């Protein structure tokens, strides 16, 4: 009864903030609440992922995975997008994210520079920033509710016209909740800090996803994405797509997004490929045995 009550409170809290801009204080409150509930029932918690688990990626939706890469594993996620905004057509790639499990429930990740190229012209075509980050999986908790905390920073290595000026730290909380019959809910709250941007020094992003595992290898999703700058109007997207696991450690995916207002791109179409290499480097593991997650 206590577990069900905890899960219900977590779900209601996440849903209440899914479609509204968040302040840093609100994010801290959410994290603190979930950590408290996790600590209350941590004795019954499952372990974090191991190499027995299939690949779990941060793509193709905007919402990142709520679980980390297994200890000793390197995961490489790649993708290419074609988007339209007004009269501009842009191809960007390879959208590569490197994720390495450094210990149980903890990973380091790096977003490598992505090249943005305008179709038909070389003007304003350049690279985005490199962005390292640290990700800690706080959960899982009973009921398959997962939560992670991510702290990263986009370093000013790319073009300011593409990525914006200066270093840009961010704080992020992806979560997910497994339901019955292959259905699941997930979402993510992110605060982007842009201290060198005079127009908007803070951008809040909120996402909410409904997903369905159709077969053992195929999953589909529908996602809402909203970006809320401190100054100015929001940009909102409706994103949907799916993935196919070629093997337990390989995945191909696609997604299609439509802008819901004039500040968002008109549309985005993307495809990707991800792969995980296990036991590449030694790590310190917990002494108890790790059972596979279902």
């Amino acid at each position: 009864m206590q577990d069900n009550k905890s899960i219900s409170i977590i779900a209601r809290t996440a849903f209440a903030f899914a479609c509204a801009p968040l302040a840093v204080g609100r994010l801290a409150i959410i994290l603190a609440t979930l950590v408290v509930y996790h600590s209350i029932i941590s004795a019954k918690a499952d372990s974090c992922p191991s190499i027995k688990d299939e690949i779990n990626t941060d793509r193709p939706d905007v919402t990142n995975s709520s679980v980390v890469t297994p200890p000793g594993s390197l995961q490489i996620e790649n993708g290419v997008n074609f988007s339209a905004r007004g009269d501009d057509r842009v191809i960007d790639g390879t959208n590569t994210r490197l994720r390495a499990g450094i210990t149980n429930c903890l990973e380091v990740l790096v977003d490598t520079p992505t090249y943005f190229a305008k179709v038909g012209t070389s003007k304003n075509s350049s690279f985005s920033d490199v962005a390292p980050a640290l990700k800690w999986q706080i959960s899982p908790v009973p009921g398959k509710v997962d939560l992670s905390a991510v702290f990263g920073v986009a370093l000013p290595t790319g073009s300011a016209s593409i990525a914006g000026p200066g270093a840009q730290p961010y704080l992020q909380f992806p979560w997910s909740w497994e339901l019955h019959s292959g259905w699941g809910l997930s979402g993510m709250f992110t605060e982007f800090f842009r201290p060198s941007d005079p127009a908007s020094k803070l951008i809040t992003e909120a996402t909410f996803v409904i997903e369905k595992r159709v077969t053992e290898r195929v999953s589909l999703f529908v996602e809402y994405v909203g970006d809320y700058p401190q100054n100015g109007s929001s940009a909102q997207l409706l994103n949907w797509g799916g993935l196919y696991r070629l093997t337990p450690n390989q995945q191909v995916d696609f997604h299609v997004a439509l802008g819901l207002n004039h500040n968002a791109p008109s549309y985005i179409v993307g495809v990707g490929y991800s792969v995980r290499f296990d036991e590449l480097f030694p790590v310190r593991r917990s002494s108890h045995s790790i059972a596979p997650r279902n």
Side-chain angles (χ1 to χ4, degrees), residues 1-10 12 37:
M1 181 64 69
Q2 180 65 35
D3 292 351
N4 291 337
K5 183 179 179 181
S6 300
I7 293 168
S8 177
I9 292 175
I10 291 171
R12 289 200 302 268
Y37 279 103

Side-chain angles (χ1 to χ4, degrees), residues 34-274:
L34 294 174
V35 169
V36 167
Y37 279 103
H38 167 61
S39 64
I40 292 173
I41 50 183
S42 60
K44 298 181 180 179
D46 298 330
S47 59
C48 290
S50 74
I51 60 174
K52 298 178 181 179
D53 300 306
E54 61 192 10
I55 188 171
N56 196 322
T57 64
D58 287 343
R59 53 169 305 113
D61 50 358
V62 174
T63 304
N64 293 333
S65 170
S66 59
V67 300
V68 297
T69 303
S73 297
L74 173 65
Q75 192 160 296
I76 305 174
E77 305 176 8
N78 312 278
V80 177
N81 295 317
F82 179 81
S83 61
R85 185 189 292 268
D87 295 329
D88 294 331
R89 303 292 183 269
V90 177
I91 297 176
D92 61 89
T94 57
N95 296 295
T96 297
R97 169 167 286 190
L98 307 176
R99 301 173 58 190
I102 56 176
T103 188
N104 198 37
C105 301
L106 190 68
E107 75 171 37
V108 292
L109 62 91
V110 178
D111 290 321
T112 65
T114 294
Y115 189 74
F116 289 78
K118 282 192 175 182
V119 177
T121 178
S122 60
K123 294 182 179 180
N124 297 323
S125 297
S126 189
F127 286 95
S128 64
D129 295 339
V130 61
L134 188 67
K135 182 175 184 178
W136 169 44
Q137 185 177 337
I138 302 168
S139 50
V141 297
K144 295 299 182 182
V145 177
D146 290 296
L147 172 72
S148 287
V150 184
F151 175 74
V153 56
L155 303 175
T157 57
S159 170
S161 63
I162 299 294
Q168 300 174 31
Y170 69 90
L171 185 63
Q172 188 175 80
F173 301 104
W175 61 271
S176 65
W177 184 16
E178 290 187 20
L179 304 176
H180 299 289
S181 303
W183 289 94
L185 302 177
S186 60
M188 188 170 68
F189 312 107
T190 309
E191 291 284 1
F192 296 99
F193 305 93
R194 309 179 72 176
S196 300
D197 190 339
S200 183
K201 295 184 180 297
L202 181 66
I203 298 176
T204 298
E205 182 176 81
T207 71
F208 184 74
V209 183
I210 301 174
E211 50 194 330
K212 168 66 174 176
R213 186 156 188 161
V214 182
T215 69
E216 286 299 313
R217 295 192 175 190
V218 177
S219 296
L220 302 174
F221 72 90
V222 177
E223 177 186 44
Y224 166 82
V225 182
D227 288 338
Y228 302 89
Q230 185 180 31
N231 301 309
S233 302
S234 66
Q236 302 178 52
L237 285 168
L238 182 65
N239 189 28
W240 67 90
L243 60 87
Y244 177 78
R245 292 184 179 88
L246 300 169
T247 69
N249 281 20
Q250 295 184 80
Q251 166 189 303
V252 292
D253 59 63
F254 77 96
H255 75 104
V256 179
L258 294 178
L260 299 179
N261 61 4
H262 67 279
N263 290 325
S266 301
Y267 64 83
I268 304 172
V269 179
V271 295
Y273 169 76
S274 303

